Structures are given as structure tokens and as C-alpha cells.
Amino acid sequence: KTSGTDTSAASKMCLVLDNVTVQGSNSGAPPFITILNGELELSGSDPFSGPMFLSPNNTIGAGDVLTINNPNLTNGSLTIGINGTLHVIQGELNIGTSTGNSLVQNFGSTVVIEGGEVNVAGMFRPASSSTGITFEQTGGALNIFGNHTSTTLASLDFGTSSFTECT
């Protein structure tokens, strides 16, 4: 993003996490990410852990991409809403520790797991059973702990939409 208020042009930023700290810490650092109309790739090899999203909604917006490509990145976020694309190449993405902390895909969203580890406390699910989503896993691990109270959705649920694609 070229200025603090420009959200009109999509751009890609690769943040190499080598000796990076957020407010002086690379472990238990405070949240620091808001993606507005673009792509953010977290790369590098140095250790970094902590929650990422500043937004209380923890959302990857439509057309936005978050790529995790650091084997030593450990993230902790509550529920994450996906409207755009989540791409995990290497690293560890932890979604919540409490009941209902889930990865929720909205219509047209994509989750790609090529490597690394995605751990979900609650559910990995579409926003509703009729929401069309895309899920692709060619490597890595998806661990779902099923800590939720839903009586209508499974812990791993792809819904019933004919627009859903899973490979």
C-alpha cells in the first residue's frame, strides 16, 4: 500500500521474518496484520510466534491473499474468516484455543495447504451449508480438534453447495 489510506490498488508484500520483532518481541508479539486489497506473504526462517490479525474479525478479505511460508512461524488467532485466499506452504497456523474458534470460509474463498501445519480448535467449515468454497491440500497437516457446540455442522465440513471444490 502506498499510503495510509489508499485501498484502491492491489499489491503484494513479502515480509521476510529474519530478525523481525513487533513492539520489541518475536515471541508472544501483539497482533500486527490488516490486509487491505492485496497479498501478504510471511517468509523467512527465523522464529516468530504470536497472533497476527489486528481486526477483531480476523478476516482475509475478498481478493486478498495471506501466504505463510516460514517453517518457524507459529501463529495464534481466534476465528479466522476467509473471503479471499489462505495459502500455507510451511509454518504453523493455530486457529484458537477455545470452543467455537474456527476457520470459516465464505462464498468463493480458497484455502490451499501445501505444507506446514494448520491446527483448528473448533471447526473448519463454510459460512453456511450452502456456501461454495475451494479447498486444496497437497501436503502438510490439517488438525481439527472439534471443540464446538454445533449440532448441524461437522468439525470438518464442506457444506452441500454444488460450487464447492475439494482436492
Side-chain angles (χ1 to χ4, degrees):
K1 181 162 88 157
T2 57
S3 76
T5 58
D6 179 13
T7 60
S8 61
S11 60
K12 179 176 180 176
M13 177 181 182
C14 181
L15 178 60
V16 178
L17 299 176
D18 289 334
N19 297 313
V20 169
T21 63
V22 175
Q23 294 184 353
S25 179
N26 70 348
S27 177
F32 64 100
I33 292 175
T34 297
I35 302 172
L36 296 174
N37 200 25
E39 179 176 349
L40 175 62
E41 179 176 334
L42 300 174
S43 293
S45 59
D46 278 7
F48 188 88
S49 66
M52 290 192 295
F53 293 98
L54 280 173
S55 164
N57 298 327
N58 301 318
T59 299
I60 298 171
D64 295 338
V65 179
L66 174 62
T67 300
I68 297 174
N69 189 16
N70 178 332
N72 298 309
L73 172 73
T74 303
N75 167 271
S77 285
L78 304 175
T79 295
I80 294 180
I82 312 289
N83 294 320
T85 300
L86 172 64
H87 185 187
V88 180
I89 298 170
Q90 55 182 339
E92 184 177 332
L93 176 62
N94 296 308
I95 301 171
T97 57
S98 301
T99 299
N101 292 156
S102 299
L103 189 148
V104 180
Q105 285 190 260
N106 293 299
F107 185 81
S109 65
T110 300
V111 172
V112 177
I113 302 173
E114 290 183 33
E117 188 171 343
V118 177
N119 300 305
V120 182
M123 296 183 285
F124 184 108
R125 65 175 181 85
S128 72
S129 62
S130 61
T131 299
I133 60 171
T134 299
F135 174 73
E136 178 183 330
Q137 184 171 3
T138 58
L142 173 61
N143 301 306
I144 302 165
F145 297 96
N147 189 4
H148 65 88
T149 58
S150 177
T151 58
T152 58
L153 295 171
S155 297
L156 174 62
D157 200 312
F158 296 113
T160 58
S161 173
S162 62
F163 295 107
T164 293
E165 297 179 24
C166 297
T167 57

